[in-house]
Amino acid sequence: MTFGWTARIDAMHKRRMLQSLALASTLTMAAPGSAGGIYAVDVRDDRVIVRFDDRVDGASAFLLDTPRRIALDISGAQVGRGQFAPGNGAIAAVRQGQLSEGTARVVLDLSSPATLGDAQIAPDGKSLSFSLKGTTDSAFRTAVGRGRTSFDAPANMSARPQKRLHSITVPIPSMARGVALPPVEGARDGARPLIVIDAGHGGHDPGAINKENGKREKDVTLAIAQAIRDQLVKSGRVRVALTRDDDKYLVLQERYGIARKLGADLFISVHADAAENAEAHGATVYTLSETASDREAARLAARENKADIINGVNLGGQSGDVSSILIDLTQRESMNISASFARLLQREASPYVPFRSAYHRFASLMVLKAPDTPSVLFETGYISNADDAAFLASREGQQKIARGVARAIEVHFARKLAMHGGTAGG
Ligand code: ZN
């Protein structure tokens, strides 16, 4: 069985695996058949060997703390029917997940702090091995801070030219670099403000689903994001980009990473979640805070931050906890701008979109974490509510939302220009 390869499956792992079993098997089927399936992880003395049934292209690794893990991203690999031989017990459990079509992630749960060294892919490309060296807690944390390392080709490879054709190691780019930047549309003047609109969820993550009519959050968020984009392009006053323009999965880090890479002036993540109470309706704007404004905000953050976790593997490569973020001056300024935009959004959009009375809430939402980009998460309504779902899924509703967002954006940047002594014309 695909997931039967943890040596010590604790109750939590088991539960998580059962929950995501159906999901993960869909992922496996979606992966291309030619990639090297992961079939075994062996621990021999202090060496760990990951074996594949076909050649893989390259790999990179990074460490994660609390709990201590090693994550391996292997390009040209796919989730397979692996066996895990625990060996000396340095590794407590092994899990795997499909990060993207061409890249699988293997996560090794460490029993004690250890770092990996001497990593190499065999000349035939069918195994990856590295040594595990026990270390101190503080040395482990230092290694975590160092980030990702790509594996070099084996040193003896150049001495074996006959093998080279089949064993070229291509280090995969870091996750943020792996995402192609979307096109920027709208005003041609590069000095105009850039707004990045993020359609929540996507791909294997449908987001919330209305149980009555089957409407999915990922579909309405995409349609709304596209409507906002079209409205902004039409105005010709700002530049705009979408994090996704189709049914694609992005980890949370990639979403705000796109905004940061493009140098966005504003980031809006569009959502339409479910409430326990089917009567709950109306829009809410969330901004980042270390502590949630209320229980509902805390629950929402917990749910949204889980979008990165599939089959117990955190595809985002970091913990969903943002309580430890360093709130420096940049972040503080971004948070103030975000909060002022949140209020403006309600003021300008409420003629078109019904808002809840407590329309501005705070939570430690991962997707709002970019320290230098003012960001809001716009809950456009509840997909679990019949009226909201109909509004959000309709062309008319989407255009109303887009009009409201575009007006708020216009006022927001006109104010900024006025403050900086510029003119708001154009
Ligand atoms: Zn959502």
Side-chain angles (χ1 to χ4, degrees):
M1 153 176 157
T2 315
F3 305 98
W5 49 310
T6 49
R8 185 220 61 200
I9 302 175
D10 59 40
M12 200 171 71
H13 272 145
K14 204 178 236 162
R15 212 165 39 238
R16 270 204 221 127
M17 283 195 293
L18 287 174
Q19 280 167 353
S20 43
L21 201 61
L23 192 59
S25 49
T26 331
L27 283 175
T28 311
M29 286 191 301
S34 56
I38 300 159
Y39 81 82
V41 176
D42 298 336
V43 184
R44 294 211 183 136
D45 300 323
D46 69 340
R47 228 169 152 73
V48 180
I49 306 152
V50 185
R51 299 178 197 280
F52 314 100
D53 56 20
D54 202 350
R55 197 172 61 82
V56 299
D57 300 324
S60 63
F62 55 94
L63 301 175
L64 295 151
D65 208 354
T66 54
R68 296 185 200 97
R69 288 153 289 167
I70 292 177
L72 304 166
D73 286 349
I74 304 144
S75 63
Q78 62 170 305
V79 165
R81 295 169 184 279
Q83 294 288 318
F84 172 51
N88 61 9
I91 294 171
V94 178
R95 287 163 289 137
Q96 56 178 334
Q98 199 70 35
L99 195 59
S100 69
E101 228 180 71
T103 305
R105 173 168 292 177
V106 174
V107 177
L108 313 159
D109 293 345
L110 298 170
S111 308
S112 55
T115 54
L116 84 179
D118 190 24
Q120 52 187 255
I121 293 173
D124 68 0
K126 289 188 174 180
S127 70
L128 153 69
S129 67
F130 55 87
S131 61
L132 268 188
K133 294 189 190 103
T135 187
T136 60
D137 275 346
S138 72
F140 183 82
R141 276 194 298 273
T142 308
V144 169
R146 250 179 249 134
R148 190 184 292 256
T149 8
S150 294
F151 302 157
D152 291 333
N156 61 358
M157 255 175 66
S158 51
R160 293 185 192 175
Q162 76 280 10
K163 281 278 186 187
R164 281 180 82 178
L165 250 179
H166 303 286
S167 57
I168 294 167
T169 301
V170 185
I172 62 162
S174 80
M175 201 173 340
R177 273 186 297 150
V179 177
L181 288 177
V184 174
E185 297 169 79
R188 294 231 183 94
D189 177 1
R192 291 303 176 101
L194 173 64
I195 293 94
V196 169
I197 311 288
D198 172 49
H201 310 277
H204 62 72
D205 170 20
I209 298 173
N210 183 307
K211 289 187 188 98
E212 302 292 313
N213 57 28
K215 293 241 185 313
R216 299 177 300 185
E217 185 182 2
K218 70 168 183 176
D219 301 322
V220 307
T221 59
L222 180 59
I224 292 167
Q226 287 166 334
I228 297 172
R229 184 230 6 234
D230 295 346
Q231 184 73 32
L232 293 175
V233 167
K234 212 166 74 186
S235 84
R237 296 186 176 200
V238 293
R239 296 177 298 141
V240 58
L242 299 183
T243 54
R244 69 179 180 95
D245 199 7
D246 53 21
D247 186 18
K248 176 167 75 185
Y249 174 73
L250 291 168
V251 300
L252 300 171
Q253 204 183 336
E254 289 167 337
R255 296 172 187 271
Y256 68 75
I258 288 171
R260 292 191 77 190
K261 282 228 160 56
L262 290 175
D265 300 282
L266 183 64
F267 175 79
I268 304 175
S269 187
V270 177
H271 287 257
D273 278 281
E276 279 166 38
N277 171 8
E279 300 297 306
H281 64 96
T284 321
V285 194
Y286 284 86
T287 55
L288 183 68
S289 152
E290 284 185 280
T291 44
S293 53
D294 53 276
R295 255 183 54 223
E296 192 187 324
R299 270 207 302 267
L300 174 87
R303 244 186 355 254
E304 292 294 349
N305 292 343
K306 257 190 224 140
D308 279 357
I309 300 167
I310 298 298
N311 186 27
V313 179
N314 189 340
L315 299 178
Q318 51 181 272
S319 90
D321 181 19
V322 291
S323 60
S324 60
I325 48 169
L326 253 184
I327 300 188
D328 63 9
L329 287 175
T330 316
Q331 180 106 43
R332 181 78 64 194
E333 193 198 352
S334 301
M335 286 163 87
N336 291 340
I337 300 172
S338 307
S340 109
F341 181 75
R343 291 190 292 269
L344 198 56
L345 180 55
Q346 188 271 346
R347 197 188 82 187
E348 295 299 319
S350 53
Y352 309 105
V353 185
F355 276 78
R356 303 190 67 191
S357 47
Y359 66 87
H360 184 193
R361 291 165 192 250
F362 307 88
S364 75
L365 286 148
M366 192 71 160
V367 78
L368 304 180
K369 214 187 129 184
D372 43 9
T373 316
S375 309
V376 301
L377 187 146
F378 187 19
E379 285 288 353
T380 50
Y382 288 99
I383 197 120
S384 46
N385 176 269
D387 293 341
D388 275 11
F391 178 75
L392 298 170
S394 72
R395 188 87 194 108
E396 198 202 340
Q398 291 157 6
Q399 276 168 347
K400 279 187 169 170
I401 295 167
R403 214 168 300 147
V405 172
R407 278 181 54 153
I409 286 171
E410 212 165 288
V411 177
H412 177 73
F413 288 105
R415 267 186 192 173
K416 266 188 91 177
L417 268 177
M419 257 164 52
H420 290 94
T423 48

